[in-house]
Every structure is written in C-alpha cells, then in structure tokens.
Amino acid sequence: MSDTLQIGRDGRLRHLLTMEGLPRRLLLEILDQAEGYADGGHGDKKHPLLHGKTVVNLFFEASTRTRTTFELAAKRLAADVVNLQVSASSTSKGETLLDTLKTLEAMQVDLFVIRHEASGAAHFFAQHAAPGVAILNAGDGRHAHPTQALLDMFTIRRHKPDFSKLRVAIVGDALHSRVARSDIHALRTLGTRDIRVVAPRPLVPTGIEQLGVKVFHQLEPGLDGVDVVILLRLQKERMLGAFLPSTAEFHRDFGLTRERLARLKPDVLIMHPGPINRGVEIEGDVAYGERSVILEQVAHGVAVRMAVMAMILGGEAA
Ligand code: ASP
C-alpha cells in the first residue's frame, strides 16, 4: 500500500499512514524537527503550536506506549485531547468505521490518531475524512506503524548517524509485525542496504526479500557483524494457527540472551518496540542492559509524535 494520499499537492504531509513511499526529505524533516522536542525540548516542555486544535486518540486495539505518548505529545503542543478506547468486533467494518469517523468529525476534531486490527483502516479513514481533518496511523493490522519506525530511526540516528553503513537485523515474528514492515521501508529510504530478517520459516512473510532484505533462519549468521538488532514480540493475537512448536523453543533458537549479546559488536544497539516478552525474544537483563536503547525509544516516541503533529497541523512555521 504505497501512498499518495498522505502528501498534499503542495508537497506537505497531510496524513501519516505508512513509511512506504514517504519521501526522504519529509522523513528527515520529521526527525530534524523531533530533535527540537527531544530531551524536554531545550528546557521547555510546552510548545503551544496546537492551541485550539482537537486531537482524538481512537484505539480499537490495546496500546500502552503508543497511546500514552501520542497523548503526551498532543498535550505538550497544547492541543485538547480525547482518548477513546473502542473494542473492535471483527464483523464491524466499513459502515461502522465510517459512522464512527463522521460522528466524531461532527465534534470538530482536527486530527485522529487511529489504531485498528484491520490492515488498511487508517487509509480508509483518510479517504473518507473531511478536508482539513488529518489521520495518523498508530498501527493497522500487520500493515504499518509509521510513527514507531520514525522513533526507531530517530533513536538509531542519535547513536549511528550514517545509515548507509549500517547492518540491521530484525529478529522474530516479522510475519505479523507492522513494525518490521515500517522499519524496513524507513531504513531503505535512509540508505541502509544490509537489512536482515531473522526468524523461523513460518514467521517470515512471503516475498519479504522484494523489500530488499536478506532472510536468515538461524540466529548466529543473521546477527553476524550487525550494528542494530530490532527484536519483535511473537504476536499471538494475530496467529490463527500453530506457527511455532513453543515459545520455549523460540527462545532456545532465537532469544537474545546475555551470552549471545556478548558475541555481538561491543557498540551494538538492542531495540524493541515493546511490549517485550521477557524470556521469549529477549532476556530481562538484556532488555534493560547497557546495550539496550528500548527506553530511549519510548522517550523519543513523544518527540517524534510531536514533530508529526506539528508538521501536519502546526502550519508553515511548525
Ligand atoms: N507495539 C507494537 C505494535 O503495536 C509491537 C507489538 O505490539 O508487538 O505493533
């Protein structure tokens, strides 16, 4: 699902739906703008750019980090924020979504942040949104999670600014992961050539090589010489059949343990979008160990989401 819907005729960001096809110049603009908001925004947490604007967080799926950081980001830009946790029924599609959108639009909402179990839900909203109403995709099914990719790129860039030299391994359940897809697109846009997906055969999406990645079914060769390891959770809620013999077996073959970490480059970055499953894809010690930037990712989520909202709603000077 590449996208023309998200860029206006003037070349500016209108919605943020996917990393696929997002021009490099816009990606870099978001990261650069996020620098101004990171670490407390040069001492001043509040930037009243969105004063008078209304943001609705519309979450049809569970979320801790994404929802909270979107809320904080909107509040730090002085927007009014409403959080709606909607339980999604798999049978209620199409009209129900549209009705929800139109009902909320009638309350003069400027921006919707949407998470939904169906791939394409954010595009659907963007297609039907009234002119001037912006849609931010906070995760749609297995498809895309663009702000996660942006905060991942932001975090990587702070430690390793030259993306063209990076070797990046994405380890775990790539099949069900919208983060994996969005990260791959973002890394490619920034010039990374050595991107690996490391996973047991049933958890590798068919045709993923076409995105320019190499696939490994064994951890050790997959992690050989890498600068960044992005670990993924086994997304059991999206697994319809038996994808794996057991989580214990997954941990044995693919889990990042202290011993395995010790064999990697001393300056390797360990990343994870969260929520982590301790003892499955990662050991607790490694998740909070010295090579981990997992909590930095969370912190950067606020800055990056502020930058996206400011660019879409904040006008020229944003
Ligand atoms: N939080 C991420 C997402 O919403 C990753 C995950 O849930 O495992 O896609």
Side-chain angles (χ1 to χ4, degrees):
M1 237 181 276
S2 110
D3 214 271
T4 46
L5 199 58
Q6 61 187 355
I7 318 283
R9 284 217 190 94
D10 54 2
R12 296 184 56 203
L13 200 59
R14 265 200 318 156
H15 308 286
L16 181 65
L17 307 174
T18 174
M19 281 290 109
E20 192 178 355
L22 185 78
R24 183 184 160 89
R25 100 188 132 78
L26 280 177
L27 202 167
L28 290 173
E29 198 181 322
I30 297 168
L31 301 188
D32 291 344
Q33 186 150 340
E35 283 293 346
Y37 298 130
D39 316 317
H42 307 302
D44 183 9
K45 275 190 182 175
K46 285 269 184 189
H47 302 259
L49 268 178
L50 302 193
H51 182 74
K53 304 278 186 189
T54 302
V55 172
V56 170
N57 273 330
L58 192 53
F59 278 63
F60 295 86
E61 264 192 353
S63 169
T64 307
R65 280 150 290 270
T66 304
R67 202 201 53 70
T68 316
T69 51
F70 262 117
E71 181 177 352
L72 277 176
K75 285 184 170 158
R76 286 189 188 160
L77 292 169
D80 295 323
V81 189
V82 178
N83 291 307
L84 275 180
Q85 176 78 49
V86 202
S87 48
S89 131
S90 52
T91 50
S92 63
K93 288 184 189 149
E95 280 193 338
T96 307
L97 268 187
L98 195 54
D99 287 343
T100 311
L101 174 69
K102 292 297 159 196
T103 305
L104 291 163
E105 257 178 18
M107 302 172 198
Q108 309 210 322
V109 173
D110 299 286
L111 185 146
F112 289 97
V113 177
I114 291 159
R115 169 169 288 193
H116 197 281
E117 63 185 4
S119 300
H123 281 75
F124 178 84
F125 267 71
Q127 271 155 1
H128 293 93
V133 173
I135 305 296
L136 296 193
N137 185 2
D140 62 327
R142 307 173 180 197
H143 171 238
H145 194 350
T147 56
Q148 178 72 46
L150 288 165
L151 73 91
D152 287 350
M153 298 310 115
F154 185 88
T155 305
I156 294 172
R157 190 173 78 159
R158 282 200 147 186
H159 293 270
K160 298 179 187 287
D162 188 350
F163 280 85
S164 70
K165 295 211 176 93
L166 289 183
R167 292 179 182 159
V168 181
I170 300 175
V171 182
D173 183 1
L175 181 66
H176 300 100
S177 176
R178 49 200 176 203
V179 175
R181 281 174 192 72
S182 289
D183 277 347
I184 292 168
H185 287 301
L187 285 164
R188 297 282 299 166
T189 303
L190 294 175
T192 305
R193 288 181 299 268
D194 190 342
I195 308 171
R196 307 154 185 201
V197 167
V198 186
R201 231 168 263 281
L203 295 181
V204 177
T206 317
I208 190 94
E209 294 89 344
Q210 282 155 24
L211 299 184
V213 303
K214 279 181 270 173
V215 173
F216 291 79
H217 297 301
Q218 282 183 324
L219 189 63
E220 217 163 308
L223 294 188
D224 186 36
V226 294
D227 304 289
V228 178
V229 181
I230 300 172
L231 296 162
L232 302 172
R233 179 178 69 90
L234 294 178
Q235 302 212 356
K236 294 214 173 114
E237 74 276 24
R238 294 188 215 288
M239 293 187 189
L240 299 174
F243 278 90
L244 287 169
S246 71
T247 48
E249 204 160 329
F250 180 82
H251 181 69
R252 188 196 64 204
D253 295 340
F254 291 92
L256 191 62
T257 59
R258 256 196 303 175
E259 293 69 39
R260 284 173 171 154
L261 179 63
R263 292 200 285 272
L264 303 185
K265 282 188 173 178
D267 64 344
V268 67
L269 298 182
I270 304 302
M271 304 178 70
H272 194 309
I276 64 166
N277 283 150
R278 284 163 178 264
V280 184
E281 71 275 7
I282 190 164
E283 267 181 3
D285 276 6
V286 176
Y288 297 105
E290 60 168 20
R291 295 313 323 150
S292 166
V293 291
I294 294 172
L295 294 179
E296 280 179 40
Q297 289 174 267
V298 176
H300 296 156
V302 180
V304 161
R305 289 172 174 128
M306 285 173 80
V308 172
M309 289 198 255
M311 274 171 64
I312 292 180
L313 283 188
E316 301 299 27

mmCIF file of all heavy atoms in Angstrom, residues 121-153:
data_model
loop_
_atom_site.group_PDB
_atom_site.id
_atom_site.type_symbol
_atom_site.label_atom_id
_atom_site.label_comp_id
_atom_site.label_asym_id
_atom_site.label_seq_id
_atom_site.Cartn_x
_atom_site.Cartn_y
_atom_site.Cartn_z
ATOM 1 N N ALA A 121 -7.026 0.206 7.698
ATOM 2 C CA ALA A 121 -8.046 1.010 8.399
ATOM 3 C C ALA A 121 -7.710 2.505 8.357
ATOM 4 O O ALA A 121 -8.589 3.345 8.140
ATOM 5 C CB ALA A 121 -8.191 0.546 9.841
ATOM 6 N N ALA A 122 -6.440 2.838 8.532
ATOM 7 C CA ALA A 122 -6.068 4.259 8.545
ATOM 8 C C ALA A 122 -6.264 4.882 7.156
ATOM 9 O O ALA A 122 -6.704 6.035 7.038
ATOM 10 C CB ALA A 122 -4.626 4.422 9.010
ATOM 11 N N HIS A 123 -5.941 4.102 6.110
ATOM 12 C CA HIS A 123 -6.179 4.607 4.753
ATOM 13 C C HIS A 123 -7.659 4.861 4.534
ATOM 14 O O HIS A 123 -8.056 5.840 3.916
ATOM 15 C CB HIS A 123 -5.695 3.595 3.710
ATOM 16 C CG HIS A 123 -4.227 3.626 3.499
ATOM 17 N ND1 HIS A 123 -3.339 3.107 4.398
ATOM 18 C CD2 HIS A 123 -3.477 4.141 2.494
ATOM 19 C CE1 HIS A 123 -2.114 3.279 3.961
ATOM 20 N NE2 HIS A 123 -2.162 3.911 2.802
ATOM 21 N N PHE A 124 -8.471 3.930 5.031
ATOM 22 C CA PHE A 124 -9.919 4.061 4.887
ATOM 23 C C PHE A 124 -10.390 5.371 5.531
ATOM 24 O O PHE A 124 -11.158 6.137 4.940
ATOM 25 C CB PHE A 124 -10.592 2.848 5.538
ATOM 26 C CG PHE A 124 -12.089 2.883 5.506
ATOM 27 C CD1 PHE A 124 -12.776 2.438 4.386
ATOM 28 C CD2 PHE A 124 -12.822 3.369 6.581
ATOM 29 C CE1 PHE A 124 -14.170 2.482 4.347
ATOM 30 C CE2 PHE A 124 -14.203 3.419 6.556
ATOM 31 C CZ PHE A 124 -14.876 2.972 5.432
ATOM 32 N N PHE A 125 -9.902 5.632 6.723
ATOM 33 C CA PHE A 125 -10.266 6.880 7.398
ATOM 34 C C PHE A 125 -9.793 8.089 6.597
ATOM 35 O O PHE A 125 -10.517 9.066 6.436
ATOM 36 C CB PHE A 125 -9.642 6.925 8.798
ATOM 37 C CG PHE A 125 -10.548 6.403 9.877
ATOM 38 C CD1 PHE A 125 -10.834 5.052 9.964
ATOM 39 C CD2 PHE A 125 -11.121 7.252 10.804
ATOM 40 C CE1 PHE A 125 -11.673 4.560 10.952
ATOM 41 C CE2 PHE A 125 -11.965 6.781 11.791
ATOM 42 C CZ PHE A 125 -12.241 5.421 11.875
ATOM 43 N N ALA A 126 -8.564 8.013 6.094
ATOM 44 C CA ALA A 126 -8.014 9.161 5.364
ATOM 45 C C ALA A 126 -8.806 9.420 4.083
ATOM 46 O O ALA A 126 -9.026 10.576 3.696
ATOM 47 C CB ALA A 126 -6.540 8.916 5.049
ATOM 48 N N GLN A 127 -9.247 8.340 3.444
ATOM 49 C CA GLN A 127 -10.036 8.512 2.210
ATOM 50 C C GLN A 127 -11.357 9.205 2.490
ATOM 51 O O GLN A 127 -11.883 9.921 1.646
ATOM 52 C CB GLN A 127 -10.330 7.142 1.581
ATOM 53 C CG GLN A 127 -9.263 6.703 0.614
ATOM 54 C CD GLN A 127 -9.234 5.175 0.481
ATOM 55 O OE1 GLN A 127 -10.027 4.476 1.092
ATOM 56 N NE2 GLN A 127 -8.299 4.696 -0.300
ATOM 57 N N HIS A 128 -11.905 8.959 3.667
ATOM 58 C CA HIS A 128 -13.242 9.475 3.962
ATOM 59 C C HIS A 128 -13.250 10.685 4.882
ATOM 60 O O HIS A 128 -14.315 11.219 5.184
ATOM 61 C CB HIS A 128 -14.105 8.358 4.573
ATOM 62 C CG HIS A 128 -14.398 7.268 3.577
ATOM 63 N ND1 HIS A 128 -13.611 6.144 3.464
ATOM 64 C CD2 HIS A 128 -15.349 7.164 2.625
ATOM 65 C CE1 HIS A 128 -14.092 5.383 2.490
ATOM 66 N NE2 HIS A 128 -15.140 5.975 1.962
ATOM 67 N N ALA A 129 -12.084 11.104 5.327
ATOM 68 C CA ALA A 129 -12.044 12.237 6.262
ATOM 69 C C ALA A 129 -12.415 13.526 5.536
ATOM 70 O O ALA A 129 -12.121 13.694 4.347
ATOM 71 C CB ALA A 129 -10.646 12.362 6.858
ATOM 72 N N ALA A 130 -13.056 14.428 6.259
ATOM 73 C CA ALA A 130 -13.397 15.732 5.679
ATOM 74 C C ALA A 130 -12.112 16.500 5.376
ATOM 75 O O ALA A 130 -11.081 16.270 6.025
ATOM 76 C CB ALA A 130 -14.253 16.504 6.676
ATOM 77 N N PRO A 131 -12.158 17.415 4.396
ATOM 78 C CA PRO A 131 -10.952 18.201 4.090
ATOM 79 C C PRO A 131 -10.455 18.896 5.360
ATOM 80 O O PRO A 131 -11.255 19.411 6.135
ATOM 81 C CB PRO A 131 -11.442 19.222 3.061
ATOM 82 C CG PRO A 131 -12.726 18.675 2.520
ATOM 83 C CD PRO A 131 -13.310 17.786 3.564
ATOM 84 N N GLY A 132 -9.164 18.878 5.547
ATOM 85 C CA GLY A 132 -8.602 19.546 6.712
ATOM 86 C C GLY A 132 -8.527 18.670 7.949
ATOM 87 O O GLY A 132 -7.907 19.045 8.944
ATOM 88 N N VAL A 133 -9.152 17.487 7.912
ATOM 89 C CA VAL A 133 -9.050 16.567 9.059
ATOM 90 C C VAL A 133 -7.905 15.589 8.769
ATOM 91 O O VAL A 133 -7.871 14.964 7.705
ATOM 92 C CB VAL A 133 -10.371 15.794 9.279
ATOM 93 C CG1 VAL A 133 -10.204 14.726 10.350
ATOM 94 C CG2 VAL A 133 -11.486 16.762 9.647
ATOM 95 N N ALA A 134 -6.983 15.480 9.703
ATOM 96 C CA ALA A 134 -5.796 14.652 9.463
ATOM 97 C C ALA A 134 -5.908 13.309 10.179
ATOM 98 O O ALA A 134 -6.505 13.215 11.246
ATOM 99 C CB ALA A 134 -4.549 15.386 9.947
ATOM 100 N N ILE A 135 -5.310 12.298 9.559
ATOM 101 C CA ILE A 135 -5.308 10.946 10.130
ATOM 102 C C ILE A 135 -3.858 10.510 10.368
ATOM 103 O O ILE A 135 -3.024 10.573 9.459
ATOM 104 C CB ILE A 135 -5.966 9.935 9.150
ATOM 105 C CG1 ILE A 135 -7.383 10.377 8.743
ATOM 106 C CG2 ILE A 135 -5.965 8.522 9.755
ATOM 107 C CD1 ILE A 135 -8.401 10.439 9.843
ATOM 108 N N LEU A 136 -3.588 10.058 11.567
ATOM 109 C CA LEU A 136 -2.273 9.474 11.869
ATOM 110 C C LEU A 136 -2.458 8.003 12.180
ATOM 111 O O LEU A 136 -3.227 7.648 13.081
ATOM 112 C CB LEU A 136 -1.623 10.143 13.089
ATOM 113 C CG LEU A 136 -1.254 11.605 12.998
ATOM 114 C CD1 LEU A 136 -0.352 11.986 14.163
ATOM 115 C CD2 LEU A 136 -0.536 11.884 11.705
ATOM 116 N N ASN A 137 -1.747 7.176 11.476
ATOM 117 C CA ASN A 137 -1.844 5.731 11.677
ATOM 118 C C ASN A 137 -0.991 5.323 12.878
ATOM 119 O O ASN A 137 0.229 5.437 12.857
ATOM 120 C CB ASN A 137 -1.352 5.023 10.403
ATOM 121 C CG ASN A 137 -1.528 3.525 10.470
ATOM 122 O OD1 ASN A 137 -2.065 3.003 11.459
ATOM 123 N ND2 ASN A 137 -1.092 2.834 9.434
ATOM 124 N N ALA A 138 -1.642 4.795 13.907
ATOM 125 C CA ALA A 138 -0.915 4.329 15.096
ATOM 126 C C ALA A 138 -0.816 2.809 15.100
ATOM 127 O O ALA A 138 -0.661 2.195 16.150
ATOM 128 C CB ALA A 138 -1.622 4.828 16.349
ATOM 129 N N GLY A 139 -0.913 2.208 13.904
ATOM 130 C CA GLY A 139 -0.819 0.753 13.771
ATOM 131 C C GLY A 139 -2.084 0.186 13.173
ATOM 132 O O GLY A 139 -3.140 0.274 13.799
ATOM 133 N N ASP A 140 -1.983 -0.367 11.958
ATOM 134 C CA ASP A 140 -3.138 -1.021 11.333
ATOM 135 C C ASP A 140 -2.774 -2.454 10.987
ATOM 136 O O ASP A 140 -1.975 -2.716 10.098
ATOM 137 C CB ASP A 140 -3.642 -0.242 10.105
ATOM 138 C CG ASP A 140 -2.623 -0.121 8.974
ATOM 139 O OD1 ASP A 140 -1.412 -0.049 9.266
ATOM 140 O OD2 ASP A 140 -3.033 -0.138 7.800
ATOM 141 N N GLY A 141 -3.366 -3.390 11.720
ATOM 142 C CA GLY A 141 -3.129 -4.812 11.469
ATOM 143 C C GLY A 141 -1.654 -5.126 11.360
ATOM 144 O O GLY A 141 -0.853 -4.690 12.182
ATOM 145 N N ARG A 142 -1.314 -5.876 10.312
ATOM 146 C CA ARG A 142 0.099 -6.211 10.093
ATOM 147 C C ARG A 142 0.766 -5.203 9.175
ATOM 148 O O ARG A 142 1.911 -5.378 8.777
ATOM 149 C CB ARG A 142 0.211 -7.553 9.354
ATOM 150 C CG ARG A 142 -0.512 -8.688 9.938
ATOM 151 C CD ARG A 142 -0.400 -9.826 8.938
ATOM 152 N NE ARG A 142 -1.095 -10.991 9.424
ATOM 153 C CZ ARG A 142 -0.900 -12.212 8.926
ATOM 154 N NH1 ARG A 142 -0.037 -12.403 7.961
ATOM 155 N NH2 ARG A 142 -1.567 -13.224 9.398
ATOM 156 N N HIS A 143 0.021 -4.191 8.765
ATOM 157 C CA HIS A 143 0.484 -3.362 7.656
ATOM 158 C C HIS A 143 1.563 -2.344 8.025
ATOM 159 O O HIS A 143 2.691 -2.413 7.538
ATOM 160 C CB HIS A 143 -0.730 -2.680 7.004
ATOM 161 C CG HIS A 143 -0.383 -1.641 6.010
ATOM 162 N ND1 HIS A 143 -0.794 -0.343 6.109
ATOM 163 C CD2 HIS A 143 0.379 -1.704 4.886
ATOM 164 C CE1 HIS A 143 -0.321 0.341 5.094
ATOM 165 N NE2 HIS A 143 0.384 -0.452 4.337
ATOM 166 N N ALA A 144 1.226 -1.377 8.867
ATOM 167 C CA ALA A 144 2.169 -0.268 9.073
ATOM 168 C C ALA A 144 2.042 0.331 10.465
ATOM 169 O O ALA A 144 0.964 0.325 11.082
ATOM 170 C CB ALA A 144 1.924 0.823 8.031
ATOM 171 N N HIS A 145 3.158 0.855 10.941
ATOM 172 C CA HIS A 145 3.188 1.575 12.218
ATOM 173 C C HIS A 145 4.225 2.689 12.040
ATOM 174 O O HIS A 145 5.335 2.627 12.567
ATOM 175 C CB HIS A 145 3.587 0.604 13.329
ATOM 176 C CG HIS A 145 3.335 1.103 14.713
ATOM 177 N ND1 HIS A 145 2.985 2.400 15.007
ATOM 178 C CD2 HIS A 145 3.392 0.452 15.911
ATOM 179 C CE1 HIS A 145 2.843 2.529 16.313
ATOM 180 N NE2 HIS A 145 3.078 1.366 16.880
ATOM 181 N N PRO A 146 3.830 3.700 11.240
ATOM 182 C CA PRO A 146 4.849 4.664 10.798
ATOM 183 C C PRO A 146 5.535 5.449 11.918
ATOM 184 O O PRO A 146 6.739 5.687 11.832
ATOM 185 C CB PRO A 146 4.073 5.595 9.855
ATOM 186 C CG PRO A 146 2.626 5.347 10.103
ATOM 187 C CD PRO A 146 2.517 3.944 10.607
ATOM 188 N N THR A 147 4.792 5.842 12.954
ATOM 189 C CA THR A 147 5.488 6.631 13.991
ATOM 190 C C THR A 147 6.469 5.764 14.777
ATOM 191 O O THR A 147 7.468 6.268 15.286
ATOM 192 C CB THR A 147 4.520 7.361 14.945
ATOM 193 O OG1 THR A 147 3.627 6.414 15.546
ATOM 194 C CG2 THR A 147 3.740 8.452 14.227
ATOM 195 N N GLN A 148 6.202 4.453 14.864
ATOM 196 C CA GLN A 148 7.181 3.563 15.510
ATOM 197 C C GLN A 148 8.465 3.550 14.677
ATOM 198 O O GLN A 148 9.567 3.650 15.217
ATOM 199 C CB GLN A 148 6.614 2.147 15.630
ATOM 200 C CG GLN A 148 7.595 1.150 16.243
ATOM 201 C CD GLN A 148 7.823 1.345 17.727
ATOM 202 O OE1 GLN A 148 6.875 1.525 18.472
ATOM 203 N NE2 GLN A 148 9.075 1.329 18.160
ATOM 204 N N ALA A 149 8.315 3.449 13.356
ATOM 205 C CA ALA A 149 9.507 3.447 12.502
ATOM 206 C C ALA A 149 10.260 4.770 12.634
ATOM 207 O O ALA A 149 11.485 4.799 12.703
ATOM 208 C CB ALA A 149 9.118 3.208 11.046
ATOM 209 N N LEU A 150 9.523 5.866 12.713
ATOM 210 C CA LEU A 150 10.186 7.169 12.834
ATOM 211 C C LEU A 150 10.959 7.279 14.147
ATOM 212 O O LEU A 150 12.086 7.771 14.180
ATOM 213 C CB LEU A 150 9.148 8.297 12.741
ATOM 214 C CG LEU A 150 8.561 8.515 11.341
ATOM 215 C CD1 LEU A 150 7.305 9.379 11.421
ATOM 216 C CD2 LEU A 150 9.592 9.157 10.419
ATOM 217 N N LEU A 151 10.352 6.800 15.225
ATOM 218 C CA LEU A 151 11.073 6.898 16.504
ATOM 219 C C LEU A 151 12.236 5.914 16.533
ATOM 220 O O LEU A 151 13.273 6.176 17.162
ATOM 221 C CB LEU A 151 10.123 6.735 17.696
ATOM 222 C CG LEU A 151 9.545 5.360 18.020
ATOM 223 C CD1 LEU A 151 10.408 4.597 18.991
ATOM 224 C CD2 LEU A 151 8.160 5.534 18.638
ATOM 225 N N ASP A 152 12.098 4.802 15.824
ATOM 226 C CA ASP A 152 13.229 3.874 15.725
ATOM 227 C C ASP A 152 14.384 4.526 14.948
ATOM 228 O O ASP A 152 15.540 4.436 15.340
ATOM 229 C CB ASP A 152 12.789 2.569 15.032
ATOM 230 C CG ASP A 152 11.905 1.710 15.943
ATOM 231 O OD1 ASP A 152 11.791 2.006 17.138
ATOM 232 O OD2 ASP A 152 11.319 0.721 15.435
ATOM 233 N N MET A 153 14.046 5.195 13.839
ATOM 234 C CA MET A 153 15.092 5.865 13.038
ATOM 235 C C MET A 153 15.737 6.994 13.846
ATOM 236 O O MET A 153 16.941 7.208 13.793
ATOM 237 C CB MET A 153 14.522 6.417 11.720
ATOM 238 C CG MET A 153 13.955 5.379 10.775
ATOM 239 S SD MET A 153 15.045 3.982 10.439
ATOM 240 C CE MET A 153 14.124 2.622 11.178
#
